Amino acid sequence: MTETQETTGFDAPPLRRLRYFHGQMLSARDFQREQDYFRDKLKLRLRCLLGYGVVCGLHVEPAHDDEHAAGEPEAEHHHRAKVRITPGLAVDCEGNEVVVRGGCAVDLWKALPPEERDTATVWVGVRYAERPVEPSRAVFDDGCADTPDCEFTRTEECFAVRVTGCEPPADDRCDTCCEPCAHRTLWLAEITGVDFGEPVAPERIRQDVRRPFGRHVPTVITGVNWIHGHTYGVDEAKKLLGTQDEAAGLVVRFSDDVRVDSLQPGVVQVQVIEGGAGRNADTWYMGGKFTAPDGSAGEFTREFRYRQTTRETLQDGDQVVITVRAAFLLDRCCRPVDGTNVGGRVPLIGAEDTPGGGCARPPSGIGPWTSGTGAGGDVFESWFFVKEG
């Protein structure tokens, strides 16, 4: 028989299931361990095969004045800074399912630890919890007690709300399967400018801090400094491309760190389709280079600037097509940037909350839009038009 040596470092419990035999004596402890076996297997499968994060729902929105926070007596209803967590499902980093069935109102002042109440910015989250329910008298005593003890017959899986005034640390693990989890709270929203005596305004709630369900969170493009499909004047286009200004150029911003050494020639390509109809329209590629970040930026960056370096000029009717080969841009975990410009919805930098047209929010309901379909890599494509005058 070949002996296998167990490796260390994998964050998983030993998987030992009951082996039944005739005449075996079973106690409550044995049945509990059988439950633990199947629960541990389920959590391991969820966390390692699928990942963790918010599956659906769990949006944070202002609470109405007539809504009371959970467990709050009506007489104590005097703090007006309240939010509501909508029903939904999440999986924490240990593989526990966090289910919020009917929504929950949260009084931010009461939920904050007393030592953290001197703040105007708070974070709201949920975490898995358990509580014993349905007490019952035992039929037999344990041999030591005078009378049978009253025991709870069920363990209810529930959730607990967490509110903090200290910015929660990000989960920077590249591998969430094998490495142990340090932060079990799933943070859902950041609320800025909090006045505990006043209602929370919707625009104060930032929900893009929540982690979407998955093995890892892909790095995506969160903003560019041009409007997709827009028509610019010739001078505006020259300024945007940095034709005459070394401090200008096309800017692309990312949600997380991208390796500077992956910003190689050819990753960005600018093509000009000259105005005109049919076969008479010429096309040419505009020369350019990365001007930011420079060598002092370190190993990673969260945005780059790319400007024109040739003397060609744009004319009335031209179309400028910008291509970023996101599959060649690697993040800090050496994964490709998820770059598909879905619907051309990647927003203008500085105007992230004002998209034009329909579909103001992505399918998750949490904006603003970014690039990406979840598959990773692909090509980011965008364009604008040039008009004289």
Side-chain angles (χ1 to χ4, degrees), residues 245-280:
D245 184 359
E246 293 188 2
L250 302 172
V251 177
V252 176
R253 185 169 292 173
F254 303 96
S255 62
D256 208 336
D257 292 337
V258 171
R259 295 191 62 87
V260 172
D261 59 13
S262 66
L263 299 175
Q264 297 293 328
V267 167
V268 177
Q269 192 172 72
V270 180
Q271 181 183 10
V272 179
I273 303 173
E274 294 183 346
R279 296 172 183 260
N280 293 324

Side-chain angles (χ1 to χ4, degrees), residues 262-340:
S262 66
L263 299 175
Q264 297 293 328
V267 167
V268 177
Q269 192 172 72
V270 180
Q271 181 183 10
V272 179
I273 303 173
E274 294 183 346
R279 296 172 183 260
N280 293 324
D282 290 329
T283 180
W284 49 275
Y285 291 98
M286 179 180 290
K289 68 175 183 179
F290 293 101
T291 61
D294 57 23
S296 63
E299 191 176 1
F300 303 106
T301 183
R302 294 210 175 187
E303 71 174 37
F304 69 74
R305 187 182 303 274
Y306 186 88
R307 66 174 291 266
Q308 180 185 3
T309 57
T310 53
R311 295 178 178 273
E312 297 95 343
T313 59
L314 299 172
Q315 299 179 1
D316 182 59
D318 287 351
Q319 180 184 4
V320 179
V321 181
I322 303 155
T323 301
V324 180
R325 296 183 172 95
F328 293 86
L329 294 174
L330 302 180
D331 65 14
R332 58 180 175 80
C333 294
C334 297
R335 296 190 178 101
V337 171
D338 196 357
T340 310

Side-chain angles (χ1 to χ4, degrees), residues 29 72 84 92 105 195 202 217 220 232 276 308 347-348 362 386:
R29 177 174 176 268
E72 177 189 5
R84 181 176 182 270
D92 71 11
D195 182 342
V217 179
V220 296
Y232 290 97
Q308 180 185 3
L348 176 70
V386 179

Side-chain angles (χ1 to χ4, degrees), residues 75-293:
E76 296 184 14
H77 180 60
H78 57 276
H79 298 114
R80 302 188 67 192
K82 295 182 174 66
V83 295
R84 181 176 182 270
I85 300 174
T86 66
L89 169 67
V91 177
D92 71 11
C93 60
E94 291 186 343
N96 297 297
E97 297 172 2
V98 183
V99 182
V100 179
R101 290 177 176 82
C104 175
V106 182
D107 184 322
L108 298 179
W109 175 265
K110 292 196 171 197
L112 265 174
E115 65 273 13
E116 297 179 14
R117 287 175 175 169
D118 185 19
T119 181
T121 301
V122 299
W123 286 263
V124 179
V126 292
R127 68 183 298 168
Y128 174 82
E130 294 180 351
R131 61 186 175 192
V133 294
E134 298 185 25
S136 177
R137 183 75 64 184
V139 177
F140 301 103
D141 60 38
D142 62 3
C144 297
D146 294 333
T147 58
D149 290 331
C150 189
E151 296 284 352
F152 292 97
T153 63
R154 300 287 187 273
T155 297
E156 182 179 352
E157 298 180 352
C158 53
F159 69 93
V161 176
R162 293 288 183 267
V163 180
T164 181
C166 304
E167 183 173 2
D171 187 351
D172 291 330
R173 297 176 299 165
C174 290
D175 184 355
T176 59
C177 172
C178 294
E179 298 180 10
C181 151
H183 312 290
R184 291 179 51 206
T185 299
L186 293 162
W187 298 104
L188 304 176
E190 175 188 3
I191 307 174
T192 60
V194 176
D195 182 342
F196 296 103
E198 297 295 331
V200 176
E203 61 271 15
R204 298 288 186 183
I205 303 175
R206 285 188 57 243
Q207 304 193 69
D208 55 339
V209 300
R210 61 201 247 142
R211 178 192 171 95
F213 183 68
R215 283 282 303 275
H216 67 275
V217 179
T219 299
V220 296
I221 296 174
T222 58
V224 294
N225 70 335
W226 69 90
I227 301 173
H228 173 78
H230 188 64
T231 300
Y232 290 97
V234 173
D235 291 339
E236 289 178 311
K238 288 180 180 179
K239 182 176 181 181
L240 186 60
L241 292 165
T243 305
Q244 299 168 338
D245 184 359
E246 293 188 2
L250 302 172
V251 177
V252 176
R253 185 169 292 173
F254 303 96
S255 62
D256 208 336
D257 292 337
V258 171
R259 295 191 62 87
V260 172
D261 59 13
S262 66
L263 299 175
Q264 297 293 328
V267 167
V268 177
Q269 192 172 72
V270 180
Q271 181 183 10
V272 179
I273 303 173
E274 294 183 346
R279 296 172 183 260
N280 293 324
D282 290 329
T283 180
W284 49 275
Y285 291 98
M286 179 180 290
K289 68 175 183 179
F290 293 101
T291 61

